[in-house]
Amino acid sequence: MPLAVKLLEPTVELADALVPYLAAPREAAGRCWVLANMVAGLDGSAAIGGRVGALSTGADAEMFRAMRTLADVVLVGAQTVRSEGYGPVRLPPDRQQERLARGRKSVPPLAIVSASLRLDPTSPAFTDAAVRTMVLTCAAAPQEELERLRDVAEVIVAGDERVELLRALSVMAERGHRIVLCEGGPTLLGELVAADLLDELCLTIAPLMGGDPLPVAIAPPGAPVRSFHLEHVLAEEDTLFLRYTRGAT
Ligand SMILES: NC(=O)c1ccc[n+]([C@@H]2O[C@H](COP(=O)([O-])OP(=O)(O)OC[C@H]3O[C@@H](n4cnc5c(N)ncnc54)[C@H](OP(=O)(O)O)[C@@H]3O)[C@@H](O)[C@H]2O)c1
């Protein structure tokens, strides 16, 4: 049987690249919808010199900021916070207004996943946050660090030795959060995929090769393979934006 291959040709030019993302349905029964936004080079690399900056094209950086409009919470692994010097989420005034009109907070809080709690409570991620940053941790975390972070963040203990991601997401859903945007890194994303908690992946393909030998998601040992459906493809010059949703398990 011949392959039903389609040649994609440029069609509609979007005035606002976020429109197809805003229109997408997002409902996960009993927990938050988890959407991840990542960028990779043509070789699949997720960083250059240990950081994302050089990998991200101008269009990707703009899309990265715009995607945050969709989120009730921005979830990130502690190593990304450390290596990228993560600060709180900021949105331009028009995006804040859009959110307020949809009954959301003007900006989503950060939620940092960490067992070690090697996080600086005097850093902007905590001190400059318009909405209190959350720290998702586990009972085995160092208690002194945990108490220090309680002064500047909402600390949620979800799990014993590690953060149980399903439990953490349930706590967030109980607090009324519907959409969690995971911005990486690869370790956290790999755990979400392994636990079958990733509902949607927005993946930018940047036109570069030669980055770090770091994939977009690191599967924990023994994790099953998961499949996804392609929902749309957007292009801006040489940058591709792919949107996938969870496939059959
Ligand atoms: N291409 C992209 O889109 C993209 C996006 C983000 C980051 N990055 C790059 O990715 C690299 C960092 O990623 P990474 O994979 O090393 O780290 P990561 O996923 O950002 O963070 C891993 C850390 O998160 C915490 N963590 C994750 N799952 C946990 C669990 N279940 N329970 C408790 N803690 C948990 C642990 O923190 P503790 O060590 O504190 O316990 C762990 O060391 C950087 O080079 C960054 O530039 C790329």
Side-chain angles (χ1 to χ4, degrees):
M1 202 169 73
L3 287 175
V5 176
K6 296 177 189 122
L7 178 67
L8 302 179
E9 290 186 348
T11 53
V12 187
E13 186 155 335
L14 299 172
D16 179 355
L18 203 59
V19 166
Y21 297 90
L22 285 167
R26 294 188 178 91
E27 285 297 335
R31 62 167 177 82
C32 308
W33 178 273
V34 181
L35 144 72
N37 184 30
M38 302 292 287
V39 58
L42 296 174
D43 48 8
S45 170
I48 296 177
R51 302 201 48 183
V52 177
L55 190 59
S56 180
T57 59
D60 174 64
E62 208 165 301
M63 189 68 95
F64 175 86
R65 286 189 290 272
M67 294 286 289
R68 290 176 151 187
T69 309
L70 304 172
D72 292 314
V73 174
V74 172
L75 182 73
V76 69
Q79 189 52 43
T80 294
V81 172
R82 292 188 284 261
S83 39
E84 298 285 342
Y86 242 64
V89 176
R90 297 192 199 287
L91 293 177
D94 56 331
R95 295 293 192 196
Q96 291 191 31
Q97 287 307 321
E98 270 172 41
R99 289 176 58 88
L100 291 169
R102 288 167 182 259
R104 291 185 148 144
K105 293 209 164 96
S106 57
V107 292
L110 267 188
I112 305 171
V113 184
S114 176
S116 75
L117 296 185
R118 283 194 298 115
L119 297 165
D120 177 2
T122 67
S123 68
F126 299 105
T127 57
D128 290 0
V131 185
R132 208 166 166 82
T133 293
M134 289 185 256
V135 174
L136 308 178
T137 191
C138 49
Q143 290 305 301
E144 203 173 310
E145 308 303 324
L146 192 144
E147 292 309 325
R148 276 197 311 136
L149 285 163
R150 271 200 210 282
D151 292 338
V152 292
E154 186 183 353
V155 178
I156 297 170
V157 177
D160 296 331
E161 296 299 317
R162 304 275 298 157
V163 175
E164 289 168 29
L165 296 171
L166 177 57
R167 204 160 134 193
L169 291 172
S170 304
V171 173
M172 285 195 264
E174 280 161 24
R175 287 167 195 218
H177 300 306
R178 272 195 332 103
I179 299 178
V180 170
L181 169 64
C182 175
E183 294 184 342
T187 302
L188 178 60
L189 181 58
E191 288 189 38
L192 285 166
V193 174
D196 202 16
L197 292 171
L198 185 66
D199 299 296
E200 180 177 356
L201 174 67
C202 295
L203 179 65
T204 302
I205 306 294
L208 297 170
M209 294 182 89
D212 301 346
L214 177 72
V216 160
I218 300 171
V225 170
R226 305 283 183 200
S227 61
F228 292 83
H229 292 298
L230 180 62
E231 298 287 350
H232 75 219
V233 179
L234 308 181
E236 201 269 359
E237 297 194 344
D238 299 324
T239 304
L240 273 184
F241 299 97
L242 310 176
R243 188 171 86 81
Y244 292 88
T245 53
R246 118 198 341 273
T249 47

